[in-house]
PDB file of all heavy atoms in Angstrom:
ATOM      1  N   THR A 254     -33.859  21.554   0.717  1.00 89.00           N
ATOM      2  CA  THR A 254     -34.083  21.598  -0.725  1.00 89.00           C
ATOM      3  C   THR A 254     -35.050  20.539  -1.225  1.00 89.00           C
ATOM      4  O   THR A 254     -35.581  20.667  -2.330  1.00 89.00           O
ATOM      5  CB  THR A 254     -32.748  21.412  -1.479  1.00 89.00           C
ATOM      6  OG1 THR A 254     -32.206  20.122  -1.167  1.00 89.00           O
ATOM      7  CG2 THR A 254     -31.746  22.483  -1.069  1.00 89.00           C
ATOM      8  N   ALA A 255     -35.283  19.490  -0.447  1.00 89.00           N
ATOM      9  CA  ALA A 255     -36.089  18.359  -0.914  1.00 89.00           C
ATOM     10  C   ALA A 255     -37.571  18.596  -0.664  1.00 89.00           C
ATOM     11  O   ALA A 255     -37.979  19.422   0.161  1.00 89.00           O
ATOM     12  CB  ALA A 255     -35.638  17.078  -0.222  1.00 89.00           C
ATOM     13  N   SER A 256     -38.378  17.827  -1.366  1.00 88.00           N
ATOM     14  CA  SER A 256     -39.820  17.847  -1.164  1.00 88.00           C
ATOM     15  C   SER A 256     -40.376  16.495  -1.580  1.00 88.00           C
ATOM     16  O   SER A 256     -39.708  15.697  -2.235  1.00 88.00           O
ATOM     17  CB  SER A 256     -40.480  18.969  -1.987  1.00 88.00           C
ATOM     18  OG  SER A 256     -40.250  18.766  -3.375  1.00 88.00           O
ATOM     19  N   GLY A 257     -41.592  16.236  -1.190  1.00 88.00           N
ATOM     20  CA  GLY A 257     -42.262  15.003  -1.596  1.00 88.00           C
ATOM     21  C   GLY A 257     -41.552  13.752  -1.120  1.00 88.00           C
ATOM     22  O   GLY A 257     -41.098  13.657   0.024  1.00 88.00           O
ATOM     23  N   ALA A 258     -41.416  12.784  -2.038  1.00 85.00           N
ATOM     24  CA  ALA A 258     -40.804  11.502  -1.685  1.00 85.00           C
ATOM     25  C   ALA A 258     -39.342  11.669  -1.301  1.00 85.00           C
ATOM     26  O   ALA A 258     -38.842  10.960  -0.426  1.00 85.00           O
ATOM     27  CB  ALA A 258     -40.938  10.527  -2.861  1.00 85.00           C
ATOM     28  N   GLU A 259     -38.634  12.598  -1.954  1.00 88.00           N
ATOM     29  CA  GLU A 259     -37.227  12.803  -1.610  1.00 88.00           C
ATOM     30  C   GLU A 259     -37.095  13.310  -0.180  1.00 88.00           C
ATOM     31  O   GLU A 259     -36.214  12.878   0.563  1.00 88.00           O
ATOM     32  CB  GLU A 259     -36.577  13.790  -2.573  1.00 88.00           C
ATOM     33  CG  GLU A 259     -35.094  13.995  -2.295  1.00 88.00           C
ATOM     34  CD  GLU A 259     -34.462  15.062  -3.164  1.00 88.00           C
ATOM     35  OE1 GLU A 259     -35.177  15.658  -3.991  1.00 88.00           O
ATOM     36  OE2 GLU A 259     -33.256  15.294  -2.994  1.00 88.00           O
ATOM     37  N   LEU A 260     -37.982  14.216   0.225  1.00 90.00           N
ATOM     38  CA  LEU A 260     -37.933  14.727   1.594  1.00 90.00           C
ATOM     39  C   LEU A 260     -38.210  13.614   2.599  1.00 90.00           C
ATOM     40  O   LEU A 260     -37.570  13.545   3.654  1.00 90.00           O
ATOM     41  CB  LEU A 260     -38.931  15.868   1.764  1.00 90.00           C
ATOM     42  CG  LEU A 260     -39.022  16.468   3.173  1.00 90.00           C
ATOM     43  CD1 LEU A 260     -37.673  17.021   3.610  1.00 90.00           C
ATOM     44  CD2 LEU A 260     -40.094  17.550   3.233  1.00 90.00           C
ATOM     45  N   ALA A 261     -39.148  12.730   2.270  1.00 88.00           N
ATOM     46  CA  ALA A 261     -39.432  11.607   3.168  1.00 88.00           C
ATOM     47  C   ALA A 261     -38.195  10.740   3.354  1.00 88.00           C
ATOM     48  O   ALA A 261     -37.905  10.276   4.464  1.00 88.00           O
ATOM     49  CB  ALA A 261     -40.589  10.780   2.625  1.00 88.00           C
ATOM     50  N   ALA A 262     -37.429  10.519   2.257  1.00 87.00           N
ATOM     51  CA  ALA A 262     -36.205   9.725   2.365  1.00 87.00           C
ATOM     52  C   ALA A 262     -35.149  10.465   3.169  1.00 87.00           C
ATOM     53  O   ALA A 262     -34.406   9.852   3.941  1.00 87.00           O
ATOM     54  CB  ALA A 262     -35.676   9.402   0.968  1.00 87.00           C
ATOM     55  N   VAL A 263     -35.068  11.784   3.010  1.00 90.00           N
ATOM     56  CA  VAL A 263     -34.075  12.569   3.744  1.00 90.00           C
ATOM     57  C   VAL A 263     -34.408  12.614   5.229  1.00 90.00           C
ATOM     58  O   VAL A 263     -33.523  12.579   6.080  1.00 90.00           O
ATOM     59  CB  VAL A 263     -33.983  13.990   3.162  1.00 90.00           C
ATOM     60  CG1 VAL A 263     -33.095  14.871   4.024  1.00 90.00           C
ATOM     61  CG2 VAL A 263     -33.432  13.944   1.747  1.00 90.00           C
ATOM     62  N   ARG A 264     -35.675  12.701   5.536  1.00 90.00           N
ATOM     63  CA  ARG A 264     -36.069  12.671   6.950  1.00 90.00           C
ATOM     64  C   ARG A 264     -35.704  11.328   7.576  1.00 90.00           C
ATOM     65  O   ARG A 264     -35.232  11.271   8.701  1.00 90.00           O
ATOM     66  CB  ARG A 264     -37.577  12.902   7.077  1.00 90.00           C
ATOM     67  CG  ARG A 264     -38.022  14.334   6.836  1.00 90.00           C
ATOM     68  CD  ARG A 264     -39.541  14.391   6.780  1.00 90.00           C
ATOM     69  NE  ARG A 264     -40.041  15.749   6.653  1.00 90.00           N
ATOM     70  CZ  ARG A 264     -41.255  16.052   6.206  1.00 90.00           C
ATOM     71  NH1 ARG A 264     -42.082  15.072   5.837  1.00 90.00           N
ATOM     72  NH2 ARG A 264     -41.644  17.301   6.115  1.00 90.00           N
ATOM     73  N   GLY A 265     -35.957  10.245   6.855  1.00 86.00           N
ATOM     74  CA  GLY A 265     -35.634   8.918   7.370  1.00 86.00           C
ATOM     75  C   GLY A 265     -36.722   8.365   8.258  1.00 86.00           C
ATOM     76  O   GLY A 265     -37.772   8.981   8.469  1.00 86.00           O
ATOM     77  N   ARG A 266     -36.457   7.180   8.782  1.00 79.00           N
ATOM     78  CA  ARG A 266     -37.391   6.509   9.683  1.00 79.00           C
ATOM     79  C   ARG A 266     -36.725   6.228  11.008  1.00 79.00           C
ATOM     80  O   ARG A 266     -35.572   5.834  11.060  1.00 79.00           O
ATOM     81  CB  ARG A 266     -37.870   5.177   9.087  1.00 79.00           C
ATOM     82  CG  ARG A 266     -38.709   5.305   7.819  1.00 79.00           C
ATOM     83  CD  ARG A 266     -39.272   3.941   7.455  1.00 79.00           C
ATOM     84  NE  ARG A 266     -40.120   3.998   6.271  1.00 79.00           N
ATOM     85  CZ  ARG A 266     -39.702   3.691   5.048  1.00 79.00           C
ATOM     86  NH1 ARG A 266     -38.446   3.302   4.860  1.00 79.00           N
ATOM     87  NH2 ARG A 266     -40.519   3.746   4.024  1.00 79.00           N
ATOM     88  N   ALA A 267     -37.472   6.411  12.094  1.00 73.00           N
ATOM     89  CA  ALA A 267     -36.927   6.156  13.422  1.00 73.00           C
ATOM     90  C   ALA A 267     -36.814   4.660  13.699  1.00 73.00           C
ATOM     91  O   ALA A 267     -35.935   4.226  14.437  1.00 73.00           O
ATOM     92  CB  ALA A 267     -37.804   6.802  14.490  1.00 73.00           C
ATOM     93  N   ARG A 268     -37.676   3.874  13.099  1.00 67.00           N
ATOM     94  CA  ARG A 268     -37.659   2.427  13.309  1.00 67.00           C
ATOM     95  C   ARG A 268     -37.689   1.722  11.962  1.00 67.00           C
ATOM     96  O   ARG A 268     -38.235   2.227  10.995  1.00 67.00           O
ATOM     97  CB  ARG A 268     -38.870   1.976  14.140  1.00 67.00           C
ATOM     98  CG  ARG A 268     -38.905   2.548  15.550  1.00 67.00           C
ATOM     99  CD  ARG A 268     -40.181   2.101  16.250  1.00 67.00           C
ATOM    100  NE  ARG A 268     -40.313   2.694  17.560  1.00 67.00           N
ATOM    101  CZ  ARG A 268     -39.860   2.133  18.669  1.00 67.00           C
ATOM    102  NH1 ARG A 268     -39.258   0.971  18.608  1.00 67.00           N
ATOM    103  NH2 ARG A 268     -40.013   2.727  19.836  1.00 67.00           N
TER     104      ARG A 268
END
Side-chain angles (χ1 to χ4, degrees):
T254 62
S256 61
E259 182 185 0
L260 178 59
V263 172
R264 286 171 176 160
R266 295 188 178 98
R268 297 177 184 269

